[in-house]
Amino acid sequence: MLLPRLLRVGAFMVKELSRGGCTSISRTGCTRQHWRPFIELQSVPRVFQGSIFQKYPHFSTTAENDASHGSNKQKDMINVTFVDKDGEEKNIKVPVGMSMLEAAHENDIELEGACEGSLACSTCHVIVMDMDYYNKLEDPTDEENDMLDLAFGLTETSRLGCQIVASPELDGIRLAIPAATRNFAVDGYVPKPH
Amino acid sequence: MYKARAWLSRSFTALSSNPLRVCVVGSGPAGFYTAEKTLKAHQEAQVDIIDRLPTPFGLVRSGVAPDHPETKIVINQFSRVVQHERCSFFGNVTLGSSVSLSELRQLYHVVVLAYGAESDRALGIPGEDLIGVHSAREFVWWYNGHPDGKNLSPDLKSTDTAVILGQGNVALDVARILLRPTEELATTDIASYAWTALEGSSIRKVYLVGRRGPVQAACTAKELREILGIKNLYVHIREDDLIKSPTDEEEMKNSRIQRRVYELLSKAAASASSQPMLGQRELHFVFFRKPDSFLESNERSGHVSGVHFEKTALKGGGPGKQYAVGTGEFEDLDCGMVLKSIGYKSVPVNGLPFDNHKGIVPNIRGRVLKNISGDSSQVENGLYVCGWLKRGPTGIIATNLYCAEETVGSISEDLEQGVLASSSGLPKPGREGLLQLLDNRNVRPVPFSAWEKIDSEEKRLGSLRNKPKEKLTTYEDLLKVAT
């Protein structure tokens, strides 16, 4: 009973594939709605984005918008590189005034933001890879330091992504997203394995 | 046989007619992060999250203090997880009574237990059953409107002093709720009956008592800073208690958190005035005291009237491993209420191996073991744990992020190696099977859309009182709105 159903599914898929057309969502929004029951178009639900984007409706990091508004917009953007826990790099353009957390989410970079930038968690922890850039940042407030206390894999150049705000002098900054560690304890204590 | 097994393991992801069916028991941070990571790692997986309460989110709803709304923002992220088409939430479904563990394991390929810790570590000392001695966990449930917490009815009128045993963040939370001016709590989502009780409270002095010293205090800087900053609060810390040993210095060198906590306590001790002013509420940090017994009142039999403490000293073990040892000297603290904040404890379930000493399910990287002393070959196929049930009741919300990553990593490994297919490579009934079984038992699961009705109603009621929400605090009220 299973096999005929499988064959029908297979036949449908072969037919659809041969018809061509785009099968993924691109920035210009080309989708094939009727693919949905068989193949998921959105490979990953956007579970990382927070409601903070509503604050910056006029900012955009898409190539099309940059081109259409000319070089004026370029002055307000800085280059930022995120390096994920697997070492993969992603270069993005971030408008001045936007936090690194928002920028990451706008660009589908996997940076957690449980409290959505309200200094109530440590999940957007990033490591500033170059000391020069770290020193350009304003010192963390007590509130940020309180949250950094709880961050996993804390380093000398760690900051919260939601507290690093893009400014012209940060152009070229490189931020590493720390790897998850097995160190679960709040105070850094490493428990013995069970 | 090997070929068949390999084909079966591939068959999970290759055929949409046999998707991986996962059931997560518990809808707190551990449950939600597990669901989120499972959905992401397995494009065909169908994940059902069940919870015994009609409401989701576990301690984010019932544990985080009412005056910490930013900590609850993570609910937005969790809500997006359920809205995923391959994910469902079913509230009002209790493991054990609505559906048994073995039934779940028959219905789903993978069962992840993430139901946390709903009981308490016991002190095991005389007088623990006296009226007025409560666990902090129950007190938190009470002010947060948990349907099982409503009947605590703590007596806040017969005494002016509360003693809190423990100095972790939960201890600080309950101290703060007792000491904060109630006007400040009026605009939070605190349960109304609790606010009314606090308004009429006669408690003016709170003691936070720890067995060890300030260097070992388990709270963190944010919570400490907050309580020390309460308006018009007299804070007392004995200067002598702040004296550090070389081992203490070593401990502080290795831990940023402990360093900053100690600094805050030092500063508070130094800047404190010698006497409280008239009408000021008082917070006393007491160190190096371990409770020996609870004293019974002479006037009101059966009620607590104080705590009999033994003074302690720290003994070896090295930095991070110093423990408190009794010195034979004793001291009493009078009080009419005691809140024990010495740790939560998980509750075992029929058919589940349980380490009663550690209060966890024996596991290796989230894979449940058949018994406590088991090694990796003694694994219960398809059964996993995440969160406090796996690690013990410590850590913050974000700790579960990494915990879930580890557990889901184990699930993915097992899937790849065909371990999961070996018990049954056949498709599992999953969600449809669960709903059928529940229907046969007259159990009405509360889907996420019903929770959204509860949420809207709570927000609506809250708006009438200038509160973000007015929680519904009985099963009856919750289920009435849900249906």
Side-chain angles (χ1 to χ4, degrees), chain A:
Chain A
M1 197 172 95
L2 193 58
L3 201 53
R5 214 167 118 211
L6 288 175
L7 289 175
R8 276 203 298 276
V9 167
F12 182 96
M13 282 167 65
V14 168
K15 201 164 51 147
E16 287 298 297
L17 274 169
S18 61
R19 270 166 57 184
C22 62
T23 59
S24 61
I25 297 178
S26 71
R27 290 243 163 76
T28 52
C30 165
T31 70
R32 296 282 293 270
Q33 293 296 326
H34 61 268
W35 277 95
R36 244 167 244 263
F38 297 97
I39 294 173
E40 285 211 326
L41 287 177
Q42 286 172 284
S43 57
V44 124
R46 293 201 166 189
V47 293
F48 300 111
Q49 292 180 8
S51 58
I52 44 179
F53 309 124
Q54 272 90 64
K55 280 197 222 150
Y56 294 92
H58 52 290
F59 282 139
S60 163
T61 55
T62 59
E64 291 96 315
N65 286 347
D66 282 347
S68 60
H69 292 180
S71 58
N72 263 344
K73 272 284 185 220
Q74 294 295 85
K75 272 196 290 197
D76 295 329
M77 309 281 262
I78 63 164
N79 294 296
V80 174
T81 303
F82 274 95
V83 181
D84 75 13
K85 54 195 173 168
D86 302 313
E88 272 192 50
E89 296 198 4
K90 191 161 185 182
N91 302 307
I92 61 170
K93 292 212 185 297
V94 182
V96 167
M98 182 181 276
S99 80
M100 294 299 127
L101 176 61
E102 295 172 56
H105 288 179
E106 289 267 305
N107 290 276
D108 286 334
I109 290 166
E110 281 185 27
L111 186 61
E112 290 279 340
C115 77
E116 295 177 6
S118 47
L119 275 180
C121 78
S122 55
T123 60
C124 69
H125 167 217
V126 290
I127 299 166
V128 182
M129 293 173 76
D130 308 295
M131 191 57 96
D132 294 341
Y133 281 103
Y134 179 77
N135 290 332
K136 286 185 190 166
L137 300 170
E138 293 225 3
D139 282 347
T141 57
D142 278 343
E143 288 70 31
E144 184 180 347
N145 268 325
D146 287 349
M147 292 304 108
L148 282 170
D149 280 354
L150 311 170
F152 293 82
L154 192 70
T155 68
E156 298 267 309
T157 58
S158 283
R159 292 297 299 264
L160 294 184
C162 63
Q163 300 302 301
I164 303 177
V165 175
S167 67
E169 55 177 1
L170 297 182
D171 187 28
I173 192 170
R174 289 159 55 81
L175 303 171
I177 298 172
T181 61
R182 290 201 63 216
N183 185 351
F184 296 139
V186 168
D187 61 0
Y189 169 67
V190 180
K192 286 200 274 290
H194 301 297

Side-chain angles (χ1 to χ4, degrees), chain B residues 81-123:
Chain B
V81 175
V82 197
Q83 276 143 15
H84 195 282
E85 61 183 352
R86 287 185 283 121
C87 186
S88 290
F89 167 77
F90 299 118
N92 199 35
V93 178
T94 305
L95 178 65
S97 56
S98 312
V99 58
S100 72
L101 181 58
S102 57
E103 281 166 341
L104 279 181
R105 293 179 75 186
Q106 281 163 38
L107 292 167
Y108 293 88
H109 299 109
V110 169
V111 174
V112 184
L113 302 173
Y115 63 73
E118 293 199 320
S119 181
D120 311 292
R121 267 181 80 199
L123 279 165

